[in-house]
């Protein structure tokens, strides 16, 4: 471990490069998780409902084929062609195949290399920002989780408890050792993050009779509070609201999005949370200095 630390001290650029390449591979895995994880949850919920509603308790439920993050192997959604190892190299395979399936010639979604490049780039940025440390490794895990949650929420309007709750507990455990913020700040951040959005939800529902957000947003905000402390929450909610407003107006003006159709709030929380992770203290300091408030 000391030799590794010494190497990255002598060659500081090496850690971001290695992390970025590793991030590309993680991005390839995230592509699988983003699609399969909600399907796995739906099958689990359906199985649980069948067990509760099945009139004949003695009759075993129907067995379904295994479907998880490892099985079945990846294949073309158009023709079912099994993706080979050479066709599954992050970004490079997409370029080599010219964005088309090698079997049927149908186009491959641009989102696959986009997620890989995004994950690789953000992972390298985290490595450069934090340097070789426990904080960097933890921040990478948070970054990967936020990417997965963002795309799942865009696709399914869902922020799974199986990701948000471990993220919340992970933040509290890490900050038991004050990795990102003191323990008390993390605990207060988790509690106040959940309660704040819950109160906003209740106020909006009381005023309009509609649900403005889901409970997954409360848990995600609580998780960000557990990781970054209660002091980061005003910045996160301000940034997420600003990004959400800009994105919403852009969708309406340039893409003809129906203003009555809901836009998931989770991705904006994730973007704001990642910005706060990287530059939260600096942004808060700048704002307070601009407002002539001592920090």
């Amino acid at each position: 471990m000391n030799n590794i630390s010494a190497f990255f001290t002598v060659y500081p650029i090496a850690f971001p490069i290695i992390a970025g390449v590793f991030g590309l591979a993680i991005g390839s895995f995230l592509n699988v998780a983003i699609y399969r994880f909600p399907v796995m949850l739906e099958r689990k919920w359906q199985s649980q409902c069948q067990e509760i509603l099945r009139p004949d308790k003695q009759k075993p439920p129907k067995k379904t084929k295994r479907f998880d993050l490892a099985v079945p192997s990846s294949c073309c959604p158009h023709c079912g062609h099994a993706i080979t190892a050479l066709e599954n190299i992050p970004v490079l395979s997409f370029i080599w195949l010219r964005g088309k399936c090698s079997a049927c010639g149908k186009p491959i979604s641009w989102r696959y290399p986009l997620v890989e490049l995004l994950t690789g780039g953000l992972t390298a940025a985290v490595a450069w920002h934090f340097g070789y440390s426990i904080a960097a490794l933890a921040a990478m895990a948070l970054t990967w989780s936020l990417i997965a949650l963002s795309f799942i929420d865009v696709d399914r309007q869902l922020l799974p408890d199986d990701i948000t709750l471990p993220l919340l507990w992970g933040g509290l455990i890490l900050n038991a050792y004050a990795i990102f913020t003191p323990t008390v700040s993390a605990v207060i951040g988790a509690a106040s993050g959940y309660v704040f959005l819950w109160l906003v939800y209740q106020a909006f529902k009381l005023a309009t009779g509609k649900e403005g957000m889901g409970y997954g947003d409360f848990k995600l905000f609580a998780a960000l509070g557990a990781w970054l402390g209660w002091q980061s929450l005003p910045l996160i909610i301000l940034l997420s609201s600003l990004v959400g407003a800009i994105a919403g107006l852009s969708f309406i003006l340039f893409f003809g999005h129906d203003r009555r159709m809901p836009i998931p709030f989770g991705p904006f929380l994730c973007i704001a949370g990642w910005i706060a992770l990287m530059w939260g203290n600096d942004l808060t300091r700048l704002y307070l200095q601009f407002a002539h408030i001592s920090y």
Side-chain angles (χ1 to χ4, degrees):
M1 183 65 72
N2 291 333
N3 291 336
I4 297 175
S5 299
F7 174 80
F8 288 133
T9 300
V10 176
Y11 304 102
I13 192 63
F15 184 49
I17 291 174
I18 294 172
V21 173
F22 183 68
L24 291 174
I26 293 295
S28 181
F29 169 76
L30 290 183
N31 275 319
V32 176
I34 289 165
Y35 169 72
R36 295 192 183 190
F37 200 68
V39 177
M40 291 163 53
L41 290 177
E42 287 176 359
R43 292 190 176 194
K44 179 181 176 181
W45 298 332
Q46 289 172 358
S47 176
Q48 291 172 343
C49 290
Q50 288 176 0
E51 290 180 1
I52 295 172
L53 299 175
R54 187 161 36 89
D56 182 5
K57 298 294 182 181
Q58 302 302 318
K59 184 179 179 181
K62 293 182 179 180
K63 291 185 178 181
T64 58
K65 292 182 179 180
R66 179 181 169 184
F67 186 90
D68 53 36
L69 298 179
V71 177
S73 58
S74 298
C75 63
C76 173
H78 303 290
C79 67
H81 165 68
I83 306 299
T84 65
L86 289 176
E87 295 172 338
N88 206 27
I89 301 172
V91 181
L92 295 179
S93 291
F94 184 85
I95 297 173
W96 174 57
L97 293 169
R98 299 181 180 179
K100 297 179 181 179
C101 173
S102 62
C104 66
K106 295 291 182 64
I108 301 170
S109 172
W110 275 90
R111 199 168 88 171
Y112 294 120
L114 173 64
V115 170
E116 292 165 355
L117 287 171
L118 178 65
T119 307
L122 296 188
T123 302
V126 166
W128 177 259
H129 183 81
F130 288 97
Y132 181 67
S133 61
I134 294 296
L137 300 178
M140 289 178 196
L142 175 59
T143 299
W144 302 334
S145 300
L146 294 179
I147 291 172
L149 285 169
S150 295
F151 282 95
I152 290 174
D153 202 21
V154 167
D155 289 344
R156 301 296 190 106
Q157 288 73 57
L158 172 69
L159 294 170
D161 288 352
D162 293 44
I163 299 178
T164 56
L165 295 183
L167 206 59
L168 188 154
W169 286 109
L172 292 176
I173 292 170
L174 281 169
N175 287 322
Y177 302 93
I179 300 298
F180 294 103
T181 192
T183 305
V184 173
S185 175
V187 173
I188 295 175
S192 56
Y194 187 94
V195 171
F196 175 77
L197 281 192
W198 181 84
L199 290 174
V200 172
Y201 165 87
Q202 295 296 341
F204 183 84
K205 187 176 181 180
L206 183 64
T208 66
K210 302 177 181 178
E211 296 183 355
M213 62 183 69
Y215 279 68
D217 297 312
F218 313 162
K219 297 166 190 173
L220 174 57
F221 198 39
L224 292 172
W227 277 76
L228 306 176
W230 65 267
Q231 299 91 336
S232 67
L233 295 181
L235 175 63
I236 293 174
I237 202 66
L238 177 63
L239 286 175
S240 59
S241 300
L242 178 62
V243 174
I246 294 173
L249 287 174
S250 300
F251 289 151
I252 293 172
L253 293 176
F254 301 112
F255 300 101
H257 185 85
D258 188 343
R259 67 184 63 191
R260 293 171 296 181
M261 294 293 292
I263 298 175
F265 189 54
F268 307 128
L269 279 176
C270 291
I271 293 170
W274 192 82
I275 293 173
L277 169 71
M278 299 287 284
W279 305 290
N281 290 335
D282 294 335
L283 290 173
T284 301
R285 188 179 297 109
L286 285 173
Y287 169 76
L288 294 178
Q289 288 176 354
F290 179 77
H292 303 290
I293 302 173
S294 61
Y295 179 70

